[in-house]
Amino acid sequence: DRDGLLGCGELWGGLEWLGMRLTKEDVYAIMRHVDSKREGRLAWPDFLKAFHYSEPEGFATEAAAVGQGVVDFRKVSIPRKEIEELYKVVVPLSQRSEEVAHKDL
């Protein structure tokens, strides 16, 4: 939705767009592992830390020379997958009851 944060549905849609076939449990596990603030959404710094790939020097030049262009992601629309969003069920620690604090969100 271009709000600067990735929810589970957007993450899942993007990973499938890249050819990765995941279950919703896989998506939740990735989100829980990568989301440093435990809010159920990925901010850009978390995304970069988890998924950033540094291309070898000269790679982009070589790829362009053989006719492989760079994707302008501002023009790409990747459909999100339907999944319950973690950020909609995450409760701040200060507001958690003992029962909720032990629930695996």
Side-chain angles (χ1 to χ4, degrees), residues 6-44:
L6 284 180
C8 292
E10 293 164 317
L11 178 63
W12 195 4
L15 293 174
E16 281 208 348
W17 184 81
L18 291 170
M20 299 176 73
R21 300 294 172 238
L22 305 167
T23 66
K24 69 178 181 178
E25 289 78 18
D26 294 331
V27 175
Y28 289 142
I30 292 168
M31 183 66 77
R32 288 184 184 109
H33 181 74
V34 175
D35 177 17
S36 68
K37 293 184 180 179
R38 314 300 276 173
E39 294 175 334
R41 294 193 279 188
L42 289 184
W44 182 245

Side-chain angles (χ1 to χ4, degrees), residues 2 4 7 9 14 22 35 37 39 41 47-48 60-61 64 69 72-73 75 77 83-85 87 90-91 98 101:
R2 300 189 188 277
L22 305 167
D35 177 17
K37 293 184 180 179
E39 294 175 334
R41 294 193 279 188
F47 181 84
L48 279 181
T61 305
D72 182 353
F73 285 102
K75 297 178 181 178
S77 178
I83 186 173
E84 184 176 15
E85 294 291 343
Y87 70 86
V90 171
V91 178
E98 196 63 28

Side-chain angles (χ1 to χ4, degrees), residues 42-92:
L42 289 184
W44 182 245
D46 289 333
F47 181 84
L48 279 181
K49 184 176 178 184
F51 297 104
H52 180 70
Y53 169 75
S54 296
E55 295 173 342
E57 189 175 328
F59 177 81
T61 305
E62 292 169 20
V66 294
Q68 298 177 6
V70 176
V71 175
D72 182 353
F73 285 102
R74 294 172 296 184
K75 297 178 181 178
V76 174
S77 178
I78 300 171
R80 66 181 303 282
K81 299 279 290 186
E82 289 301 318
I83 186 173
E84 184 176 15
E85 294 291 343
L86 291 178
Y87 70 86
K88 292 183 179 181
V89 297
V90 171
V91 178

